[in-house]
Amino acid sequence: MTRLFRAFGAPLASVILLLSGVWILGLIAAPQLIMIEQSLWRMERPEGSAEISVQIDGLYNRLDVIGLDRSVAESETDSAKRETELAALAAEEAAIKAEIAVLEEKESTPVKVYTLDNFGQMGSAHLAIFAKTIVASLAVSAIALVVCYPIAYAVAKLETPRTAAAIMLALVIPYAINELLRIFAWQMILNNNGPANALLGLLGFDPVPFLDSGAGVFVAMVYAYILFMVFPLYNVLETLDSNQVEAARDLGASTWQIHRRVVIPHARPGIAVGCIMTFMLSAGSYAVPYIMTRGTAAPWFTQLIYNRFFEATNWNVGAAYALSLLAVCTVFIFLMMRLLKVSLKDIAK
Amino acid sequence: MTRAVSGSTFVLRLYMALFFAYMFLPLGVMVAAGVNDYSPPSITVWQGFTLRWFAEFWGDARMWLGLANSLLIAAAVMALALPMGLSGALLLSQLGRRSAGLLYTVMVSPLLTPGIIIGISTVIFWRNLDVTAGLFTAILAQSAFIASYAMLMFMARLQRQDLTLEEAALDLGASRARAFRRITLPFLKPTIMTAAVIAFLQSFENYNTTIFSIGGNHTLVTEIGARMRFGISPMINALGILFIVVTVICAVAWAALRRREYQLESVK
């Protein structure tokens, strides 16, 4: 900290600290912590509310009795006595009404109770969707890795630097085009009367309801996020010294051995980044299932989260769902870092 | 390559060609439907070339309002995320190894968090302060992760800084603030420009974080998403064509700039 002040002088250092603080505490840490807190409580009817409602019922009965007493009192002939009795009854009635108001307030005002029940709200149906989302996202990552590895290797190692640069620039274009447009292209292709079904029709097949079966979500997801695998892989493979590959070949290694022992170990950070990005984007994607199902196929977990917040308006359960998704992504990141022995510094390059 | 094209290279080339077809054909389908005189968007029924979907977009007030919101948000995000990212990078550059490591983890975490989580947690936080979701929360949610991009870019640039220049300025009697303004900032200028462009694009094109944090308002992109779901009008395709044209221009300009920079540095 003193180094900061020495390096920039007090006024500038204060501005740096202030801005960093607003970002780290105000925009990153505080919202996450509040979300965690929100997932851990809910508003409940207060404890003993059943006893209170019995008590309230008793008081209402008492009011009825007072009503009877009053009609008896009103038939009293002695006016002085009648007045005092009626006044006493009115006072008692007012006291009971006040007590009822207090008790009813107590009965109906929910209290904040800390509980893990929000996570338990998931039930088997939502849990199945959660599991499906995770498995499908893992599959997207795996497919992207298998498809992209040869591409990245071929571009980085087999092409001249000039051609490689041109190829990567060409790939930047679909990468930079808005996610929604890439998804929409597939919605058109897989639509009931789209080109995919037209082609199947020419081959004599019945139309396939790609969108309504949820298959469309998966196809569009692979397409939308596959380029997040190509670029990290290419970036690490570009730094691989071709002499290493040559040396391995001269020493008699087979192609498979070269990749297993030389290329893949070198590509670890790229593999980690690619897998983390594709998994995180798939599991956290709202756009793809939203556009690719039109609500006809089973929802994606992100849609459940959205509904908890903006349709069912149960923010506590929504926060618990969101936190579950975040936890899965965090675990995945640590697993990849462990498995591929890379640090966060390698990942964020 | 001087060697004859071997069998495996041929297979790889073929594979690459297939991959390119896979990447570009769907976009071609979308472009074609944008100029096809048929609604809903289709390429299986061809009714002839038209530009009327562009005209339809031109007359759509909701889209224009969305565009205005997008530009407003992007401007605010640039104004917020760049200084925060730069501060973060400068702070890290002056910290000890251990504390820098922890801080660094927090600063890059938004990039590894699903966008919807950043969006929704911002909304929850501000609702507790009685601020309803809207453009304001969308700006803050986007800034949280866009500042991370900026921080990484500034950090990479700062690591290449020649510290002797700054020291020379100090020796010659410049104050710290003056040395920063006259030496460090000009050195960072190219990165500030690229970071501004990246921040703008990231903000403008964002969907997942924005849809969870913008409440009842909309941006151009969230409005496009809402219309896409039912794919009723090829106006969306026409808009898509505009997006693609802009993207291609930007990509080519960026490549040209990089090339010039590269040539300049190799001349030095």
Side-chain angles (χ1 to χ4, degrees), chain A residues 9 13 17 53 67 73 131 173 177 205-206 217 232 253 287 302 311:
Chain A
L17 276 181
S53 79
I173 290 167
I177 284 169
F205 292 100
D206 288 333
V217 176
T302 49
E311 275 157 36

Side-chain angles (χ1 to χ4, degrees), chain A residues 4-6 8-16, chain B residues 176:
Chain A
L4 183 74
F5 279 86
R6 215 178 314 132
F8 297 110
L12 195 56
S14 310
V15 173
I16 291 174
Chain B
R176 305 274 170 194

